Amino acid sequence: MAILLAFVLSPAAYYYVGRTKLAVINFLTLNYLLLGIVIVPLHVYKIISDAKAERGDQTTVR
């Protein structure tokens, strides 16, 4: 859902994944001077992937 949101409204995608400061920066810089169309979906995907990996490490029994 967040990646689709990143294509349509990138500040909302950052807010959706809990990155409020990035959402404000993205909004104030007009979507990183329109480069955000490519950058934001990739960055949101990396944030989600890192969160899943971190959560996976915490749930394994050692």
Side-chain angles (χ1 to χ4, degrees), residues 13-35:
Y14 277 135
Y15 186 76
Y16 184 77
V17 295
R19 303 295 176 129
T20 307
K21 289 180 184 177
L22 287 175
V24 171
I25 291 169
N26 187 274
F27 180 76
L28 293 177
T29 60
L30 300 173
N31 199 13
Y32 303 124
L33 299 175
L34 299 177
L35 292 174

Side-chain angles (χ1 to χ4, degrees), residues 2 5 10 17 21 24 28 35 39 42-43 47-48 50-51 58:
L5 194 56
S10 42
V17 295
K21 289 180 184 177
V24 171
L28 293 177
L35 292 174
I39 296 170
L42 296 174
H43 190 222
I47 291 170
I48 293 169
D50 290 347
Q58 293 175 353

Side-chain angles (χ1 to χ4, degrees), residues 41-56:
L42 296 174
H43 190 222
V44 168
Y45 176 77
K46 178 153 176 38
I47 291 170
I48 293 169
S49 297
D50 290 347
K52 285 182 180 179
E54 186 176 315
R55 186 183 67 194

